[in-house]
Amino acid sequence: MATISPGLRRIFAVAAMMGMGVVQLAGQAYRAPFGADGKPDLNGIWQALNEANYDLEAHIARPAMALRPGPYGPVPAPSTLALGAVGAVPPSLGVVEGGEIPYKAEALAMKKQNQQDWLNRDPEIKCYLPGVPRATYMPYPFQILQSASAITFVYEYAGAVRNILLKDPGPSPSDSWMGQSVGRWEGDTLVVDVSLNDQTWFDRAGNFHSDKLRVEERYTRTSPDVISYEATIEDPVIFTRPWKISMALYRRQEKNAQLLDFKCVEFVEELLYGQYRRRPLNQ
Amino acid sequence: MSKRLICATSLGAAVALITLALPAAGQTASKLRMPDGHPDLQGTYDLATMTPLERWPGDPPFLTKEQAEVLQRTEAVRRAKTEGGDEPLPLNRAAPPVGGDTSEPKSYFELLEKRGGGAVGGYNRFWLNQGSAYNQVDGKIRTSIVIDPADGHVPPYNEAARKRLAAARATSESTAHERQDGVAAPPGAFDNPEQRPLSERCLLGFGSTSGPPALPDYFYNDLHQIVQTPDHIMILSEMIHDARIVRMNAQHLPKAIRRWMGDSVGHWEDDTLVIDTTNFNDKTRFRGSTENLHVIERITRVDDKTLLYRFTVEDPDTWDHPWTGEYAWPVTDKPIYEYACQEGNYALGSILRGARRQEAEGAAAQK
């Protein structure tokens, strides 16, 4: 450690405090197995193990995802009350570098509205495609299928799929929920540029974006069972400057690990269409 | 639209079953191989074809090149003349007859479009992206994907299936996938979202496009992409962005885990990828079959631009004998765009709401 400069030591200390130190430090020495094409092998079933999908920013635990004022502080909104502790938000040190998302003032007001009206507005509730980067850290595994000629990400949640285009076709003629992803290798890192529509969110806390969003993702293998994941988020309509999230993605260790069906479309039919039944169930 | 409109062409002729020899497990002519030595099956394939699953009445099993060209030209002319086609419709044309055009369809595609869009036309040409040529396997131009039975038709339902379907059709409580009757509006069909066809609910594409067996849907969005690694082979169906991941040299899931597209495990037999699929759920019901459906697919690279896709389906509760189909998958450079379905599904809510409105108006009229 004597050879490490004080500045670098400070960076390590901050990184360790943010819970990311292990991953980033390990990245210095580790080299991933390479495929026949000489690229690091990202194949596998991966999953984030954090609270990012609840709220990207640092937060203490909250009683529910939708709240109402109570006589001594917020209590769960009536629509979430029945879930009790199951519906609570677990705490997190956050995954946003620097701690806060740099919203423009108007956009921050919209974020707060989103959070208040979470039940009506979060696309996850209606089983809509999650977009990027949210798909990465939802509480479901995803699989990377990589060969020399193709890279595809398949997510268990809603059966979402992304093709990582290895040749840039130019701007997409049609916007999309999972976005157009163009990938390239920078050394041992897979870098993916993503452009999306304005319908997806970042988490269950109302963090959102416009259709000017550009996400640059970086996937680097840092140990046999860990990918270091970073996403730089740029959206001049909503944010004052680009900002970055980072986290570890872990390889699922079960011998028979595989993606199963989570076609949640079926599970939200009662929510979306129950009132149109010939005999609604709640009558 | 539902997969049943495809089934509607089933003539159900009783046939003698012929055992077909599978192709000799030879070497593929293509040099496209993976680092592990197996054929490289990767690419995007356009499954759209003019060859129907089942043979159109009166067609011979094979067409000569000249016959195929005449039929393809005739179909191209028909498409050009329909709304949204290449030829503008005459401005002074007469109104369609009351109740729409209910004349007998003269071709397979005319029949499909009438079933899918109704007699007044549900789709104009803009929406359709259908095959423009018959499928060719081993240099022969095929008039059906079904090759066994040799008459090119799916075998008739057996006693168990007939009973099951009759019971489903006798009650207004059954679902579209249980009924398989080719009619979208029997009593009860609009009572609950669960009773609507799976494609209307954004759960699976119509026409078994995701499979298995993966079939052309004969309307649009027929692209399929294969991505291959030593341990997994993914077959992505454009419609409903359904990715089926085949686990190589693996055991099937426990019986309790049922899946929409079944559980697919694969292995190589020389240069042929063999995929075995079981563990279907009881809602997929490919052509009225049960959750005991068993599908075996064989994918072989024929040349640098073509795969041969062969499948055998069996379900003792539905057919007395297994049946087999095959067709060529030509590679395409067309890109696959996102098929977001649930996110824009205004139809399902509107269909149910419309039915409630109709009932309310009917009740008001009776007072």
Side-chain angles (χ1 to χ4, degrees):
Chain A
M1 290 296 279
T3 56
I4 296 174
S5 74
L8 203 52
R9 200 173 299 155
R10 199 158 54 239
I11 291 170
F12 285 173
V14 171
M17 273 167 61
M18 296 181 73
M20 299 175 295
V22 176
V23 174
Q24 306 215 326
L25 282 173
Q28 315 281 318
Y30 179 77
R31 300 216 66 193
F34 288 74
D37 59 344
K39 307 296 185 213
D41 182 3
L42 301 178
N43 276 294
I45 296 173
W46 306 93
Q47 190 167 343
L49 184 60
N50 60 32
E51 299 75 26
N53 191 48
Y54 284 99
D55 190 343
L56 291 181
E57 294 178 297
H59 58 270
I60 58 168
R62 293 194 284 269
M65 280 166 273
L67 302 171
R68 71 188 289 182
Y72 303 99
V75 298
S79 44
T80 64
L81 188 59
L83 283 171
V86 174
V89 176
S92 165
L93 291 172
V95 296
V96 180
E97 289 196 2
E100 271 186 21
I101 299 174
Y103 276 105
K104 290 183 168 177
E106 273 182 24
L108 183 61
M110 173 64 97
K111 184 254 164 171
K112 286 177 178 163
Q113 277 179 31
N114 283 345
Q115 195 163 16
Q116 222 144 40
D117 198 18
W118 171 71
L119 273 170
N120 289 315
R121 295 193 191 180
D122 186 349
E124 184 187 354
I125 287 175
K126 300 187 181 77
C127 184
Y128 288 173
L129 292 169
V132 179
R134 191 174 185 180
T136 315
Y137 47 79
M138 292 188 78
Y140 306 87
F142 67 96
Q143 183 163 0
I144 300 178
L145 295 115
Q146 176 193 356
S147 69
S149 58
I151 303 178
T152 300
F153 286 41
V154 182
Y155 302 89
E156 190 172 83
Y157 168 80
V161 173
R162 279 167 82 195
N163 258 315
I164 312 299
L165 307 175
L166 299 171
K167 220 161 83 185
D168 188 350
S172 172
S174 120
D175 63 358
S176 57
W177 292 72
M178 293 306 291
Q180 174 173 284
S181 298
V182 179
R184 66 179 193 276
W185 291 95
E186 271 184 19
D188 291 349
T189 298
L190 175 67
V191 183
V192 186
D193 283 303
V194 195
S195 54
L196 301 105
N197 70 17
D198 61 357
Q199 300 290 304
T200 64
W201 277 15
F202 293 113
D203 56 23
R204 294 170 178 166
N207 286 309
F208 76 111
H209 58 84
S210 79
D211 64 357
K212 296 290 176 281
L213 173 72
R214 289 293 178 279
V215 182
E216 187 192 82
E217 301 176 281
R218 303 178 72 86
Y219 296 85
T220 314
R221 281 197 53 183
T222 51
S223 79
D225 297 321
V226 178
I227 290 175
S228 156
Y229 177 75
E230 298 179 331
T232 302
I233 287 142
E234 197 173 338
D235 182 346
V237 178
I238 306 294
F239 310 115
T240 59
R241 57 174 169 81
W243 51 283
K244 196 165 130 185
I245 60 171
S246 52
M247 64 186 69
L249 303 174
Y250 300 96
R251 186 191 296 282
R252 289 286 298 249
Q253 296 293 312
E254 301 90 336
K255 278 205 171 58
N256 60 351
Q258 57 190 284
L259 299 191
L260 297 173
D261 289 339
F262 188 73
K263 275 186 181 279
C264 48
V265 167
E266 192 187 21
F267 308 149
V268 299
E269 282 182 336
E270 175 61 18
L271 173 71
L272 299 178
Y273 311 118
Q275 59 183 308
Y276 307 132
R277 290 184 190 278
R278 184 151 187 227
R279 294 182 192 83
L281 304 180
N282 53 6
Q283 278 182 11
Chain B
M1 216 166 6
S2 86
K3 72 173 86 162
R4 289 165 304 152
L5 65 90
I6 310 289
C7 321
T9 56
S10 171
L11 296 182
V15 287
L17 288 158
I18 297 166
T19 308
L20 284 165
L22 294 169
Q27 299 288 302
T28 161
S30 170
K31 288 195 176 63
L32 294 176
R33 287 190 182 268
M34 300 297 286
D36 62 12
H38 293 300
D40 183 349
L41 303 178
Q42 296 181 108
T44 301
Y45 301 91
D46 189 349
L47 276 49
T49 175
M50 274 181 66
T51 301
L53 177 67
E54 299 187 84
R55 192 166 298 147
W56 184 254
D59 275 357
F62 305 104
L63 299 172
T64 63
K65 200 163 163 253
E66 292 71 28
Q67 287 172 320
E69 276 167 5
V70 169
L71 288 166
Q72 286 163 194
R73 219 166 23 242
T74 307
E75 175 61 11
V77 168
R78 184 193 72 80
R79 290 179 192 175
K81 285 185 173 161
T82 54
E83 190 168 345
D86 292 337
E87 290 177 27
L89 293 178
L91 291 171
N92 59 352
R93 69 188 191 277
V98 174
D101 175 10
T102 52
S103 62
E104 260 318 285
K106 288 180 282 295
S107 74
Y108 180 59
F109 282 97
E110 202 184 327
L111 175 126
L112 289 182
E113 286 167 28
K114 282 187 169 172
R115 300 262 176 174
V120 290
Y123 290 96
N124 72 13
R125 201 47 52 193
F126 174 84
W127 297 102
L128 301 170
N129 188 12
Q130 298 156 320
S132 53
Y134 281 87
N135 205 270
Q136 199 168 322
V137 177
D138 292 337
K140 286 185 158 172
I141 301 171
R142 298 275 179 91
T143 56
S144 69
I145 288 176
V146 173
I147 55 167
D148 175 16
D151 71 348
H153 288 279
V154 175
Y157 286 128
N158 63 18
E159 183 65 17
R162 283 198 298 272
K163 275 191 182 156
R164 186 170 66 244
L165 292 167
R169 288 168 193 173
T171 162
S172 62
E173 260 131 67
S174 54
T175 61
H177 44 275
E178 289 169 334
R179 284 170 164 155
Q180 300 272 329
D181 54 4
V183 183
F190 299 98
D191 285 1
N192 298 286
E194 294 90 340
Q195 291 181 281
R196 303 305 305 156
L198 298 179
S199 54
E200 222 169 72
R201 299 165 65 196
C202 296
L203 286 166
L204 284 177
F206 56 84
S208 193
T209 175
S210 58
L215 297 177
D217 64 67
Y218 299 101
F219 276 81
Y220 45 68
N221 292 102
D222 267 314
L223 302 187
H224 283 60
Q225 185 190 4
I226 296 181
V227 176
Q228 182 175 347
T229 76
D231 307 323
H232 295 92
I233 295 176
M234 180 203 70
I235 305 174
L236 170 66
S237 165
E238 181 178 21
M239 206 180 278
I240 318 275
H241 53 80
D242 267 326
R244 183 158 56 103
I245 297 173
V246 180
R247 291 171 293 128
M248 295 303 291
N249 307 308
Q251 300 284 315
H252 273 303
L253 288 165
K255 285 286 162 219
I257 307 289
R258 320 299 300 198
R259 303 196 58 174
W260 286 97
M261 293 181 282
D263 175 49
S264 295
V265 295
H267 67 272
W268 291 97
E269 284 179 14
D270 295 305
D271 279 349
T272 298
L273 171 66
V274 182
I275 307 171
D276 189 284
T277 304
T278 60
N279 294 47
F280 286 91
N281 71 17
D282 65 353
K283 298 171 197 167
T284 301
R285 302 218 181 210
F286 170 68
R287 296 185 73 91
S289 58
T290 69
E291 61 180 3
N292 297 324
L293 179 71
H294 177 205
V295 182
I296 300 153
E297 298 158 284
R298 296 175 159 268
I299 307 182
T300 317
R301 182 166 277 293
V302 178
D303 56 43
D304 288 359
K305 293 183 183 304
T306 319
L307 301 184
L308 178 62
Y309 178 80
R310 173 180 281 207
F311 62 89
T312 298
V313 299
E314 58 180 357
D315 177 13
D317 293 327
T318 304
W319 301 286
D320 283 335
H321 301 279
W323 54 276
T324 296
E326 73 175 7
Y327 64 120
W329 287 13
V331 77
T332 177
D333 55 7
K334 292 176 199 163
I336 294 183
Y337 294 116
E338 181 172 85
Y339 188 102
C341 185
Q342 164 80 345
E343 294 73 11
N345 192 356
Y346 301 103
L348 182 53
S350 297
I351 285 165
L352 296 171
R353 228 171 25 239
R356 301 296 82 81
R357 174 72 177 264
Q358 217 164 29
E359 286 160 8
E361 285 174 358
Q366 281 188 352
K367 280 180 188 165

